[in-house]
Amino acid sequence: MGTNEHTIAVNGVDLCVQGFGNPADPAVLLLHGAGESMLAWDVEFVQRFAADRRYVVRYDSRDAGRSTTYPVGAPTYGLRDLVADAAGLITVLGLGKAHLVGMSQGSAVAQLLALDHPELVASLAVASGTPGGPGHVQSDLPGMTPELAAYFDAEAPTPDWHDRNAVVEYLAESMRPFAAATRPFDLETQREQARRVVDRANNIGAQLTNPYLLDPGAPWRNRLGQIAVPALVLHGTEDPLFPIGHGQALAAEITGSRFVALEQTGHEVFPPHTWDVVVPELLAHTA
C-alpha cells in the first residue's frame, strides 16, 4: 500500500486507511483520539517516521473521516469494538507485530490492545492518556482544571451540522481550551485544519458526538502491570483534561516504561514545537 487512502473491511465495518513508507519496514500504527480522524496526525510528522525506515499507518476509526458512521448520538459500539478494529487492521494489513502510538482515546485503545492482543504488538507509546482509560473514576488522580470545567459548564451549543462555516468555527474554537495556556493559540491554523476535517468527514456530526458516548467497559488499570512490551508514556505539562499526574501514574503502572514530559503542551496531538523531542523519542522506542 502506498500513500493513497484505502477503505478496508475489518471486524464488520469499513475503515479508511493510509500508509506511508515501505511496507517491508517496521510498522507503526497511529491511533487518534475521540472526535478526531487520521488528519490529527500531521503529514509532515508522519513523514519523518517514514523517512527513517518505518511503515506508518494512520486510519479513521468508526464515525471518523471516511470510515463507517452511525446516527448522531446513537453509536451501537463500545471501546472494546475499537480495540477489535485495530487488532483486525493489523492482521488484515499483514503488519505482523506493530508499534502502537495512541493519543487520548487512542491511548486507551492502545493499552487494551497491548493487554488483550500481545501477539500483535511490538511496543506501546501513549500520549495524553490516563491509566485504565477515560470514563472511569480515578479518585487518586487530579481532576480537570477549573478552567476546562468552566468551559464544559458553559459550552456552546452544537451547530447545525449541515452549516459548514458554523461547524468549522465550532471545531476550531473547541481546540482552544485544550491547548497549552503558555503558548499563543493560532486560531487561523486551527480553522484551516477544521476545514480539512469537515470537508473530508462522511458525517461530521457523528464524528464530533458519538466517540464521547462510548461505553468504556470494565476498568483495566489493575491489569497494566501485565503489559510486557516496551512502553513509552508522553504527556503535556499543561494538559487540562488529564493533568500530568495521569501520565505519571500510567507510566508507574506499566513495568519498565519511560515517561517523557512535553513542555508547553496541553491535551493536543504533538504540536510542531514538540516534534524535535517526540520524533527522536519514538524512533528510538520503535528501533
Side-chain angles (χ1 to χ4, degrees):
M1 184 172 65
T3 56
N4 292 328
E5 295 181 17
H6 290 65
T7 299
I8 298 176
V10 173
N11 196 32
V13 295
D14 292 330
L15 300 179
C16 187
V17 182
Q18 187 176 33
F20 295 78
N22 185 345
D25 289 334
V28 178
L29 183 66
L30 304 178
L31 303 154
H32 64 73
E36 297 173 338
S37 70
M38 70 163 68
L39 297 186
W41 304 103
D42 188 277
V43 169
E44 182 181 345
F45 174 81
V46 173
Q47 287 174 335
R48 290 194 184 194
F49 284 98
D52 208 306
R53 297 190 61 188
R54 300 294 188 279
Y55 181 54
V56 185
V57 177
R58 63 178 188 173
Y59 73 102
D60 298 322
S61 63
R62 301 188 193 203
D63 274 319
R66 293 173 176 164
S67 291
T68 294
T69 65
Y70 297 77
V72 176
T76 57
Y77 61 95
L79 184 65
R80 261 64 176 192
D81 293 298
L82 300 186
V83 177
D85 292 349
L89 196 61
I90 292 172
T91 301
V92 170
L93 292 177
L95 301 182
K97 286 192 172 186
H99 299 280
L100 308 180
V101 180
M103 157 71 186
S104 193
Q105 188 178 83
S107 164
V109 173
Q111 291 173 47
L112 284 169
L113 193 56
L115 285 168
D116 296 341
H117 301 278
E119 74 283 359
L120 300 177
V121 179
S123 73
L124 175 68
V126 292
S128 302
T130 185
H136 297 133
V137 175
Q138 309 274 16
S139 59
D140 63 317
L141 299 179
M144 70 177 70
T145 63
E147 293 80 8
L148 186 59
Y151 163 77
F152 282 128
D153 288 341
E155 190 172 5
T158 55
D160 176 352
W161 299 121
H162 300 289
D163 184 338
R164 177 180 181 271
N165 291 336
V167 177
V168 166
E169 196 67 17
Y170 171 84
L171 180 55
E173 282 290 351
S174 73
M175 299 293 106
R176 188 189 298 272
F178 295 93
T182 58
R183 293 183 63 83
F185 182 73
D186 189 343
L187 180 58
E188 190 48 47
T189 294
Q190 292 297 335
R191 283 175 175 147
E192 291 174 5
Q193 174 70 349
R195 292 184 190 104
R196 289 191 289 269
V197 170
V198 171
D199 290 345
R200 188 176 168 278
N202 286 338
N203 186 337
I204 192 62
Q207 179 172 317
L208 299 181
T209 303
N210 292 350
Y212 302 101
L213 304 178
L214 303 189
D215 179 2
W220 64 88
R221 183 175 179 178
N222 64 326
R223 298 176 56 206
L224 290 172
Q226 301 171 19
I227 292 177
V229 297
L232 174 66
V233 178
L234 306 109
H235 211 97
T237 58
E238 299 180 44
D239 190 324
L241 181 63
F242 299 133
I244 194 167
H246 287 252
Q248 292 166 333
L250 178 54
E253 299 279 3
I254 304 175
T255 304
S257 67
R258 292 186 59 246
F259 179 78
V260 176
L262 302 179
E263 299 294 332
Q264 293 190 296
T265 304
H267 195 81
E268 44 194 336
V269 186
F270 301 146
H273 77 273
T274 69
W275 292 355
D276 287 343
V277 172
V278 171
V279 172
E281 286 284 356
L282 290 177
L283 284 173
H285 182 66
T286 60

